[in-house]
Amino acid sequence: MSATRGFDRISQAGKVPAPDERTQILVVGGGPAGAAAAIEAAKAGGSVMLVDENPVGVGLMALDTPLYFGGRFTNAVQTQARMVEQILASSPLLEAAFEAGVDVRLGTYVWGAFTPGWGLASLPESLAGLADEERAWMVGFNRLILATGARDVAFAFRGWDQPGVMGARAFEALTSRYDAFSGRRLVILGTGELAIETARAALSRGLLVEAVVDVADAFQGDPSAAAELAAAGVEILLGHVPVSAPSGLEGIEGLTLSDHATGATRTLPCDTIIEAISLTPVIELLDVLGGAIAPAPRLGGHAPVTSDGTATSLPNIFIAGDVAGAPGGASMGEEAAIASGRRAAQAVLASLGHEVRPEVSTVVESDFDALAYQMAWARALMSDPDVVICQCEEVSRAALTEVRPPGYLGPPSPAQAKRDLASLLEDGPANQDQIKRLTRACMGPCQARRCREQVALTLACASNVAPADVPLAGYRAPVRPLPLNVLADWDESPEIARHWDVWMGIPGQWTPYDDIGTEREALSAGILGEGGHA
Amino acid sequence: MSGASVIVIGAGVTGLSSAWWLARSGVDVLVIDKGIVGWEASGRNGGGASHYHSPLFHEEQKLWPQMDELLGYTTEYRRERVIFATTEHHLENYRRMAEICRGLGYRVDDLDPAQVRSFVPLAGDNVTGGIHLRFGGQANPQRTVQAYAWALQDLGGRVFQHTPALRIVTAGGRVSGVETPRGVLGCDHLVVAAGPQAEALLAPIGLRLPLAPARAEMIVTEPAPLMPVGGADGNGLYGRQTLRGNLAYGGGPHEWLDVDALGPRRRPSTPILRNLAKRVAELLPRGAHLRVIRSWAGVVENTPDGRPVLDRIADPGNLTVATMSGVGFGLSPATGHAVRDLVIDGRCSFADLGKLTLARFKDTPADWRERQGWLPTTHEQALAAMAP
């Protein structure tokens, strides 16, 4: 540093502590893509850590985090040790990863990731924030492979906040990974690839599938699948819109549908409604890292910008599996995910200077516009404006499109009552981050997992733009809701403690105005030091 | 594209409040911004409104209780503040602060630990004491910014979002307009309230406003039951319990940045959020179980002495410069009033602003940021500087 260069001891530079542990390659997500990536990466002999949040704590499952579980899990999920065993038993690839020398961490959340770059010059190295139910810690990494998969896009109708309304991905996790699904009699929303897979999986487990339902007038998936499901006794209801789900003590007991051609309604008996309309890539960590993300209608929503399906816009961050894009709003499938994971690992190894022969890319593509399909569902459900679409903050569709302040602020002022989405649109395109701060939609403890996409779709409907034109609402660390005392750095470095200031620590900033330029100036600077100001 | 009698560059709290005050006086005013109203630090801050150090303090205190009514929209303003300590050392600092406020004519009560807990039920057995400001308070930043914008529009003022100011256009020694992607917008008077971007806008017309941008960050928890006093802080934190019940707190190390002409590229949070979580858990141990659900980061501009510039420039004579040097939100009702006065009357009617002129920086050396260490600094550079 040059002789004239000063140093601001209050600033963050030099204060970010060394991580608690380090790994050369960190893989987030222990599904087929992540496990395959970790195994492939470990072959080169470097250190590989594979982190997966399953089994997720029951508190988060109840918050529909990370997946839209809809309260349809058995008490088995309360016993973490049993769940760990169950998850290992259901995932031969995880076992193989252990055997390949991968440092596998189950029941571990990755709540943030940070890499040096613009605005983060002070970061000593790339860091990931990990946590379990007890504590948080930091892991340094050279390369990160995000294999965080895809999650369900949820849609609201009356009763969707009751136990028993859930997502297809959560159903898959509860049945195949946790073996802890408590439903028996299902109605599946959607008739695309995702719904068909869900129906097949349910039938193969001996569950009763009453019907698959679509707001569209046409079956979205392969026509032969329609015949297959019909032959299995599954009713196929097209042109039907969910109206409400009557419920009792244990959650929903049926689904009332309206035939939008005739207006006739009927109620199907069921204990579980699986929303299998579309998946969307879990891009939250990439957004926190500052990686490029773009609308990708055929990949389920917004997806990482990638040249080859493995690289991101950040040189040390890679992707594998459904996070790269859920083709047509469905999963790319286990085989493709494994191949994707292997390729990501090969790309990582190549970037680290290893000689690797990359496999031929077999990118899974789909012509199906998942975002348009999501939009069709959103538009059909717009007919019921009073449905609460943000459960945490109790914001209805109407409250959202009227940009109504939350109820705890009391009745809107006369001026406020004249304001709505239309008046905001006069100033520019709808921005979800702006509207969520005004209405509180998406601001609750589930971190908008249940409502983020449908709020964007509703804004697109109400402002008459394509859903891809509504800017992505930003993700922020921590991307899992973690208690203060878990997230806290209880072992704070002395350097941070010694120079902690409430604000910028600028000498004289808080000097009372009348003292400026007088002999009292030095005195007040002394009194108000150490962040003693308000 | 037509302009306006007064154009304000920057739809942050300072620019919007200024425009609203001007519109209240019947002035045809237009605010332009590179993005959305309140999108930078104006919408991402602690919401505090008790700035006893400022010459605008009395006006700040006078205005906040009336703002919802004056604007016609809620700001979520909530009165009063409890600052409390968990160490004797901090308590001593707070009691001195109380003395300063009393000296200015405001009521401040000393609190014992039990009293602190009665106002702040999430506080714990570690409290050593506190002070209760019977003035001040906090508001919701994003809601307030939007309220200014809407109230301005209700009075006939205009806001052009997504309209960056590219250049200040001068003619005959006066500002004649602002060049934007929509064309040149003409004006009789220009207010520059462009935050970190103000320096680069003013330099080409020969005005020196040295600014250094920095990032500050905050964390937010899930809601807790409302406490009798929401503005409760201490332990090196600023922040509040929102009217929804969320705890929103910031403090601690900032990071110096370079900002492009069109603003910050990103507003990342950092691992420092764990240190914030620790301090919130220490301050409010009965809320330590609350989940952190978000973090924010805002980019603020800082002058070399950390104090505002509120100045009607002598040459060109139809230009007013306003930067609050990182402490803008709470003072904004008063700042707007001051700028209105400067633009219309040439002088502030309610406070002396003589120590906040732009001219005080005319001799600031070109490499001031380097000398003060207010530049982006890598970990390695910092370690070298800290070595004994």
Side-chain angles (χ1 to χ4, degrees):
Chain A
M1 207 175 291
S2 77
T4 57
R5 179 158 181 174
F7 175 60
D8 175 10
R9 281 189 178 272
I10 310 294
S11 79
Q12 193 167 318
K15 291 208 178 74
V16 179
D20 302 271
E21 47 185 341
R22 284 195 176 85
T23 184
Q24 191 176 36
I25 300 169
L26 177 64
V27 184
V28 182
I39 293 165
E40 184 77 8
K43 285 183 190 164
S47 64
V48 180
M49 185 188 291
L50 174 62
V51 182
D52 192 283
E53 62 194 324
N54 296 291
V56 176
V58 146
L60 287 193
M61 289 181 83
L63 263 181
D64 293 321
T65 302
L67 298 174
Y68 181 22
F69 293 111
R72 272 295 175 258
F73 40 84
T74 64
N75 284 336
V77 300
Q78 313 254 11
T79 319
Q80 214 208 13
R82 184 173 150 196
M83 281 297 110
V84 169
E85 270 176 41
Q86 170 59 33
I87 280 163
L88 286 173
S90 68
S91 316
L93 276 173
L94 280 183
E95 292 273 19
F98 271 114
E99 282 159 25
V102 174
D103 182 355
V104 180
R105 311 283 182 92
L106 298 181
T108 305
Y109 308 104
V110 181
W111 52 263
F114 312 91
T115 195
W118 190 94
L120 281 174
S122 68
L123 217 59
E125 58 189 291
S126 292
L127 298 169
L130 274 57
D132 57 22
E133 304 297 325
E134 308 292 324
R135 69 185 185 103
W137 68 99
M138 305 302 293
V139 174
F141 63 84
N142 291 338
R143 297 290 184 274
L144 174 64
I145 300 176
L146 297 172
T148 45
R151 60 180 176 77
D152 303 294
V153 176
F155 291 87
F157 49 87
R158 278 167 203 264
W160 82 299
D161 54 347
Q162 297 302 308
V165 185
M166 66 185 304
R169 203 69 171 144
F171 171 75
E172 200 250 339
L174 286 183
T175 48
S176 62
R177 287 194 98 181
Y178 282 67
D179 192 21
F181 176 62
S182 64
R184 285 186 194 85
R185 191 172 193 178
L186 321 180
V187 171
I188 295 171
L189 303 187
T191 60
E193 194 55 41
L194 181 65
I196 295 165
E197 283 167 22
T198 303
R200 282 181 182 143
L203 290 169
S204 76
R205 287 181 176 266
L207 298 165
L208 179 62
V209 181
E210 284 285 336
V212 294
V213 177
D214 212 308
V215 295
D217 292 322
F219 191 82
Q220 301 292 304
D222 192 278
S224 67
E228 173 199 328
L229 293 179
V234 177
E235 191 174 1
I236 293 168
L237 287 167
L238 304 174
H240 279 70
V241 181
V243 176
S244 64
S247 62
L249 283 177
E250 289 177 25
I252 62 115
E253 295 174 342
L255 174 63
T256 303
L257 296 164
S258 161
D259 179 334
H260 71 63
T262 65
T265 61
R266 60 180 284 201
T267 301
L268 302 170
C270 60
D271 57 39
T272 303
I273 299 165
I274 301 180
E275 300 195 344
I277 295 151
S278 180
L279 303 181
T280 194
V282 178
I283 51 173
E284 51 205 17
L285 284 171
L286 186 63
D287 198 29
V288 165
L289 280 156
I293 289 163
R298 284 176 171 72
L299 296 172
H302 281 79
V305 174
T306 175
S307 54
D308 61 356
T310 62
T312 72
S313 66
L314 301 169
N316 58 340
I317 314 295
F318 295 77
I319 46 175
D322 288 335
V323 65
S331 171
M332 64 172 62
E334 181 159 341
E335 204 176 311
I338 290 170
S340 165
R342 271 207 307 266
R343 285 198 311 279
Q346 289 155 2
V348 162
L349 293 174
S351 78
L352 289 167
H354 292 269
E355 295 226 353
V356 287
R357 247 183 317 146
E359 286 171 31
V360 179
S361 169
T362 49
V363 175
V364 184
E365 282 170 343
S366 169
D367 290 334
F368 188 71
D369 187 335
L371 205 48
Y373 184 47
Q374 293 173 25
M375 194 67 171
W377 274 87
R379 201 171 274 128
L381 291 164
M382 287 289 277
S383 58
D384 194 345
D386 295 327
V387 169
V388 164
I389 63 171
C390 170
Q391 292 184 24
C392 297
E393 299 291 324
E394 296 180 17
V395 181
S396 68
R397 280 196 187 96
L400 183 76
T401 56
E402 288 165 19
V403 196
R404 205 186 290 161
Y408 59 85
L409 295 179
S413 67
Q416 179 72 59
K418 292 182 199 143
R419 294 286 174 180
D420 57 12
L421 187 61
S423 67
L424 270 184
L425 292 175
E426 287 168 15
D427 300 329
N431 184 296
Q432 187 172 352
D433 275 325
Q434 179 184 24
I435 290 162
K436 78 187 196 191
R437 294 186 205 174
L438 296 172
T439 62
R440 307 297 296 174
C442 301
M443 298 287 268
C446 89
Q447 299 181 314
R449 278 182 185 80
R450 292 182 284 224
C451 67
R452 160 186 279 277
E453 288 76 24
Q454 52 178 329
V455 163
L457 294 165
T458 303
L459 292 176
C461 288
S463 56
N464 202 21
V465 299
D469 292 338
V470 176
L472 178 72
Y475 290 92
R476 306 292 305 189
V479 299
R480 293 291 176 271
L482 297 171
L484 285 163
N485 54 11
V486 169
L487 190 60
D489 181 6
W490 292 109
D491 192 22
E492 181 172 277
S493 84
E495 197 55 33
I496 289 181
R498 193 176 310 131
H499 300 291
W500 186 276
D501 194 282
V502 176
W503 191 235
M504 297 283 154
I506 302 172
Q509 179 158 39
W510 307 99
T511 303
Y513 184 75
D514 290 343
D515 290 358
I516 295 172
T518 71
E519 71 276 11
R520 292 193 306 278
E521 186 163 1
L523 183 72
S524 65
I527 289 174
L528 296 169
E530 282 186 58
H533 63 79
Chain B
M1 181 73 57
S2 66
S5 175
V6 177
I7 290 180
V8 178
I9 304 176
V13 271
T14 301
L16 286 171
S17 176
S18 301
W20 172 68
W21 274 95
L22 287 161
R24 292 180 76 207
S25 295
V27 174
D28 166 35
V29 60
L30 166 65
V31 182
I32 64 172
D33 195 277
K34 63 179 172 53
I36 298 174
V37 293
W39 209 237
E40 299 295 347
S42 295
R44 305 160 198 262
N45 61 73
S50 40
H51 299 94
Y52 57 83
H53 69 288
S54 170
L56 306 175
F57 174 56
H58 297 298
E59 188 72 3
E60 176 193 47
Q61 297 312 310
K62 187 178 110 190
L63 286 170
W64 266 113
Q66 315 172 47
M67 286 307 281
D68 283 19
E69 199 173 325
L70 292 175
L71 292 166
Y73 299 86
T74 180
T75 62
E76 296 190 30
Y77 175 69
R78 202 175 168 195
R79 200 162 186 168
E80 302 196 353
R81 181 165 180 185
V82 167
I83 306 171
F84 66 98
T86 54
T87 66
E88 283 303 325
H89 180 66
H90 276 154
L91 185 58
E92 224 170 280
N93 280 347
Y94 300 156
R95 297 236 197 267
R96 285 186 190 133
M97 188 193 306
E99 277 314 305
I100 294 174
C101 294
R102 288 183 190 119
L104 290 164
Y106 290 81
R107 179 176 161 195
V108 184
D109 299 338
D110 287 334
L111 301 179
D112 65 28
Q115 288 170 314
V116 168
R117 285 187 289 270
S118 73
F119 289 115
V120 188
L122 294 177
D125 298 331
N126 56 348
V127 174
T128 51
I131 60 174
H132 186 181
L133 312 189
R134 297 294 186 153
F135 60 94
Q138 333 75 47
N140 178 327
Q142 189 69 28
R143 208 172 290 290
T144 302
V145 175
Q146 194 68 59
Y148 280 128
W150 280 339
L152 165 67
Q153 291 173 334
D154 291 344
L155 293 171
R158 289 170 297 159
V159 180
F160 289 174
Q161 298 188 137
H162 310 293
T163 305
L166 303 175
R167 188 171 65 92
I168 297 171
V169 183
T170 55
R174 293 177 64 78
V175 174
S176 59
V178 182
E179 187 183 322
T180 76
R182 297 177 175 224
V184 173
L185 305 172
C187 63
D188 304 320
H189 194 108
L190 179 67
V191 176
V192 175
Q197 290 81 50
E199 178 173 11
L201 275 173
L202 292 169
I205 61 166
L207 293 175
R208 180 93 201 287
L209 173 56
L211 293 174
R215 182 197 61 239
E217 48 195 303
M218 299 187 70
I219 59 170
V220 184
T221 72
E222 64 185 317
L226 282 192
M227 303 191 291
V229 175
D233 55 14
N235 200 31
L237 300 168
Y238 61 89
R240 72 194 213 280
Q241 181 181 40
T242 69
L243 278 177
R244 173 67 178 98
N246 310 78
L247 306 179
Y249 286 92
H254 52 279
E255 178 151 354
W256 296 105
L257 308 171
D258 283 322
V259 171
D260 301 345
L262 290 184
R265 288 179 216 173
R266 298 181 59 210
R267 300 162 196 89
S269 296
T270 76
I272 288 296
L273 65 87
R274 296 186 64 209
N275 305 86
L276 286 169
K278 168 182 178 277
R279 281 173 165 71
V280 177
E282 287 170 347
L283 182 76
L284 303 169
R286 289 171 187 165
H289 62 284
L290 293 168
R291 296 180 178 108
V292 180
I293 58 174
R294 267 190 295 287
S295 61
W296 301 331
V299 176
V300 296
E301 77 276 18
N302 296 273
T303 64
D305 59 15
R307 295 169 188 155
V309 173
L310 286 173
D311 195 9
R312 168 100 181 237
I313 307 300
D315 179 24
N318 61 340
L319 173 67
T320 298
V321 174
T323 163
M324 296 305 289
S325 191
V327 189
F329 176 77
L331 289 165
S332 65
T335 310
H337 189 184
V339 170
R340 175 246 164 249
D341 287 358
L342 292 174
V343 171
I344 295 180
D345 308 324
R347 59 177 296 278
C348 180
S349 61
F350 59 89
D352 163 39
L353 303 177
K355 298 172 187 174
L356 304 181
T357 61
L358 190 59
R360 73 183 191 273
F361 299 121
K362 68 180 190 309
D363 298 325
T364 302
D367 62 347
W368 72 279
R369 287 189 67 182
E370 190 176 359
R371 288 172 190 237
Q372 295 188 195
W374 288 14
L375 287 168
T377 304
T378 65
H379 188 70
E380 290 68 30
Q381 286 172 322
L383 294 187
M386 290 189 295

